Amino acid sequence: MKVLHVDASAKRERSNSRALSRYFIERLRSEGVELDIDYLDVTVDIPAHVTEAFAIATYTPEQERTPAMKETLAASDALCRRLLDADALIFAMPMYNWSMPSAFKAYIDNITRTGLTYVNTEDGRIEGQLQRQKTVFITSRGADLRAAPFSSMDALTPALKAAFGFIGVANPTFVDAQPLQFSDQQARIEALERAHRELDAVAAQWANEPSQVEADEASLTA
Ligand SMILES: Cc1cc2nc3c(=O)[nH]c(=O)nc-3n(C[C@H](O)[C@H](O)[C@H](O)COP(=O)(O)O)c2cc1C
């Protein structure tokens, strides 16, 4: 299974979301899944913010782009290719100020691309191109947003669902580790245990479900 693994926490050794994404990968391996991992740390290879040149180039039809426009889009093209090449996507990030880390938002701005991650069909629809990729979002949160008073403040889950739904990820799995900071020690321990159990279940599911490619091959030979 070709996996794109993306981390986005500003923290390194102390990061819970990084530890959880590593744990998930170990669980996949122990389920017998052979992994070919493409790793991206968006806090190290920080995707560029949208510039005026990017905004113009991205909406210029490919055949009309100048060499300078192609150069402007080259890094974003490469990020899109890494997504399209993967069979499965693992995104791990903390909640920052109720939403995503800004480096991950910059990543989304780079991977939402006409003609690459989504296409405009002849009958006027928009078709996301990441329909075959299994996808998990592993998020870490300081507060527990499952209940009041914080439940109405989750701007992270809907933002990820909208951005990735648009490019074809219809049913991503979310494993939200919470509360990891604004709570007593016992609640933090339980939150991590819950996240581990949920990740165990997702790893077992990924190991037992054929990939879209395998399913297509099986239906062709049936
Ligand atoms: C700049 C910053 C902003 C944060 N904002 C929120 C927030 O809005 N809501 C929340 O529940 N936790 C918030 N937290 C707490 C983190 O989400 C939490 O500590 C998480 O476990 C960090 O993940 P990490 O260990 O992978 O870095 C914030 C932390 C930082 C550093």
Side-chain angles (χ1 to χ4, degrees):
M1 183 186 286
K2 196 159 184 208
V3 171
L4 176 65
H5 171 196
V6 181
D7 275 325
S9 173
K11 288 188 187 166
R12 314 257 149 221
E13 298 305 313
R14 297 167 178 206
S15 161
N16 281 304
S17 58
R18 286 176 190 268
L20 289 168
S21 66
R22 279 198 305 272
Y23 173 83
F24 181 59
I25 284 167
E26 281 160 25
R27 291 297 308 149
L28 282 173
R29 285 208 170 101
S30 58
E31 289 282 348
V33 182
E34 240 179 73
L35 297 177
D36 171 5
I37 296 180
D38 177 12
Y39 182 67
L40 171 64
D41 184 336
V42 291
T43 73
V44 175
D45 294 314
I46 305 173
H49 285 303
V50 172
T51 58
E52 185 177 27
F54 179 95
I56 293 168
T58 191
Y59 292 115
T60 301
E62 198 181 349
Q63 60 282 7
E64 293 169 26
R65 284 181 195 144
T66 63
M69 285 176 172
K70 288 180 185 164
E71 183 54 36
T72 298
L73 296 175
S76 152
D77 289 348
L79 288 174
C80 291
R81 259 180 247 114
R82 289 169 75 175
L83 270 173
L84 292 162
D85 283 352
D87 305 311
L89 311 172
I90 302 170
F91 299 110
M93 74 197 73
M95 173 179 275
Y96 286 164
N97 299 308
W98 314 110
S99 187
M100 65 189 80
S102 56
F104 196 81
K105 176 59 169 64
Y107 176 68
I108 288 178
D109 290 336
N110 276 267
I111 58 156
T112 309
R113 288 282 310 282
T114 325
L116 282 173
T117 50
Y118 71 92
V119 295
N120 297 300
T121 64
E122 284 182 3
D123 57 350
R125 287 176 303 107
I126 288 173
E127 202 172 72
Q129 299 299 293
L130 296 174
Q131 294 179 25
R132 69 180 185 89
Q133 282 81 356
K134 299 175 197 295
T135 302
V136 65
F137 292 103
I138 303 169
T139 79
S140 50
R141 295 125 184 255
D144 190 342
L145 284 92
R146 292 173 303 164
F150 295 116
S151 51
S152 61
M153 296 171 78
D154 182 1
L156 175 58
T157 314
L160 292 173
K161 279 188 179 162
F164 282 84
F166 186 69
I167 58 175
V169 178
N171 287 306
T173 301
F174 281 83
V175 173
D176 303 317
Q178 58 190 341
L180 293 182
Q181 196 175 335
F182 314 127
S183 64
D184 59 44
Q185 189 61 18
Q186 188 53 32
R188 296 181 203 185
I189 291 168
E190 283 168 17
L192 283 177
E193 283 173 357
R194 204 164 42 242
H196 284 141
R197 282 199 305 275
E198 287 177 27
L199 290 170
D200 292 347
V202 182
Q205 196 190 335
W206 283 21
N208 292 317
E209 262 176 17
S211 70
Q212 192 59 50
V213 174
E214 286 162 351
D216 290 347
E217 280 168 3
S219 73
L220 280 176
T221 52

